[in-house]
Amino acid sequence: MIKNPIPWPNGARCAVAFTWDVDADSAVHAARPDSADNHVATLSFMRYDPEIAVPRIIDLFRRYNIPLTFFVPGWTIENYPAAVDLMLKNSHEIAHHGYLHHDNNAMSRQQEMEVLRQGIEIITRVSGRRPLGYRTPMISSNGVSRHTIDLLIEQGFLYDTSLYGDDIPYVLHNDKGSIIEIPCIQGLGDWYHYMSWCDFGYSAAIKSPMHAADVFKAEFDAAWEYKGMWMCVWHPSVSGRLARCTAIEPLIKYMIKKGDVWFASMSEIALHVREVISSGTWRPRIDQVPYYASPAPDAAAKER
């Protein structure tokens, strides 16, 4: 079904990346800018993220020597240094996730650029390395503006992972250059399975961890069968809870037992994709961006 599979390292059939959006309570301050301090229960829900869940997650994946990619807002980095230190001490990747869990579509191009540069500076300062990757903070609600990809290319990012346009990495190109897009899969986001919280506008029926794990496993089996890639978008405050985190380990064991799997960070995957493109080993699908210069004209509306 995948007509142009990427040749993964060592002949692996599938690449697997476990990624975590460590929003902490930056999301509360963004959603409730005038009253966040009064939303105490919601603050506690999100503070669980760096204080309890991140250490638990790192302990779990350390047992299998699997690298992780953490997308962390600049505000979270500044306010939860212990969690960030733990990520760095365990050699995990820290990637750009905005500053205060903002919505790019609610900002001007200049404002978006300033937030992007702010996050770059913070990550570079704490890690000693400029971030290679970016994920929009508002991934579930179209948080990619018409300027976002343009700005990422201008700032020299290697990859973005905010879009949904393919099953495997592809390339976004405009008149300023190119960036590798590592696309998301909706079913591999944990909020769709577990999240019900009125402050964030989510009221889905919460599934059992086994139900969610069945979805995650089915997506992995398909990626493995067709030589694709599997990447989850999980949140420590959601999937780091006891029962849900417990359900991750059998999934890891299943992937290992199936074999021919390359477990990698997002930057490792993007660097490999760049290498096979540069060497001529593989030719990517290329999307020209922006897709449209303006909204499509509504001829029917004009006639009314």
Side-chain angles (χ1 to χ4, degrees):
M1 287 186 175
I2 295 176
K3 295 183 178 179
N4 184 30
I6 298 168
W8 298 119
N10 302 316
R13 291 188 63 93
C14 179
V16 166
F18 288 93
T19 80
W20 298 87
D21 291 4
V22 190
D23 302 326
D25 46 320
S26 70
V28 187
H29 292 281
R32 297 285 185 270
D34 299 322
S35 61
D37 60 320
N38 203 41
H39 291 254
V40 179
T42 304
L43 290 169
S44 72
F45 178 83
M46 297 304 290
R47 287 168 64 89
Y48 182 98
D49 185 335
E51 294 182 342
I52 305 299
V54 166
R56 175 180 294 155
I57 290 160
I58 289 175
D59 284 347
L60 169 61
F61 283 88
R62 185 191 294 121
R63 295 202 288 270
Y64 298 93
N65 196 30
I66 293 175
L68 304 173
T69 300
F70 292 101
F71 292 88
V72 193
W75 186 91
T76 301
I77 292 172
E78 291 176 334
N79 285 273
Y80 297 96
V84 174
D85 287 346
L86 193 59
M87 297 170 197
L88 295 172
K89 286 176 182 176
N90 285 272
S91 301
H92 297 304
E93 177 184 5
I94 296 179
H96 202 306
H97 198 46
Y99 181 74
L100 195 64
H101 214 270
H102 57 280
D103 181 356
N104 290 331
N105 275 292
M107 296 190 293
S108 68
R109 189 184 195 280
Q110 182 60 36
Q111 288 171 324
E112 192 174 345
M113 172 61 86
E114 290 170 359
V115 169
L116 192 62
R117 286 175 173 166
Q118 186 179 23
I120 292 170
E121 188 278 326
I122 292 169
I123 292 173
T124 303
R125 172 162 41 83
V126 300
S127 71
R129 297 184 296 272
R130 187 182 176 92
L132 297 179
Y134 176 87
R135 176 177 289 154
T136 175
M138 303 295 287
I139 193 170
S140 63
S141 58
N142 190 34
V144 180
S145 80
R146 64 178 294 104
H147 306 298
T148 303
I149 302 303
D150 196 41
L151 294 173
L152 293 175
I153 291 172
E154 282 186 15
Q155 291 298 306
F157 279 84
L158 172 63
Y159 73 89
D160 172 66
T161 177
S162 306
L163 304 182
Y164 295 80
D166 211 322
D167 303 300
I168 57 174
Y170 58 109
V171 170
L172 303 175
H173 180 79
N174 66 14
D175 58 0
K176 292 185 172 62
S178 300
I179 188 170
I180 294 165
E181 179 64 34
I182 304 180
C184 302
I185 297 173
Q186 190 179 35
L188 294 180
D190 56 0
W191 279 50
Y192 301 108
H193 300 284
Y194 296 137
M195 194 59 180
S196 181
W197 202 265
C198 60
D199 263 2
F200 298 129
Y202 277 78
S203 57
I206 296 177
K207 299 176 184 176
S208 76
M210 295 305 101
H211 183 119
D214 282 346
V215 176
F216 302 153
K217 179 176 173 290
E219 293 288 356
F220 167 74
D221 284 339
W224 192 94
E225 178 68 24
Y226 297 108
K227 299 183 179 180
M229 133 162 225
W230 184 99
M231 178 196 71
C232 62
V233 180
W234 292 348
H235 300 75
S237 59
V238 177
S239 289
R241 305 277 168 172
L242 280 174
R244 299 163 189 173
C245 195
T246 299
I248 294 171
E249 189 163 21
L251 178 64
I252 295 171
K253 290 179 177 179
Y254 178 82
M255 292 173 168
I256 292 171
K257 184 177 181 180
K258 192 147 188 172
D260 295 326
V261 176
W262 179 40
F263 294 97
S265 68
M266 293 288 278
S267 61
E268 288 174 324
I269 289 171
L271 287 166
H272 174 74
V273 170
R274 185 174 70 179
E275 171 59 28
V276 294
I277 292 172
S278 298
S279 67
T281 307
W282 179 73
R283 296 182 65 182
R285 187 177 71 80
I286 299 174
D287 257 5
Q288 297 291 328
V289 290
Y291 296 130
Y292 302 101
S294 62
D298 188 345
K302 290 180 180 178
E303 292 175 1
R304 287 197 291 270

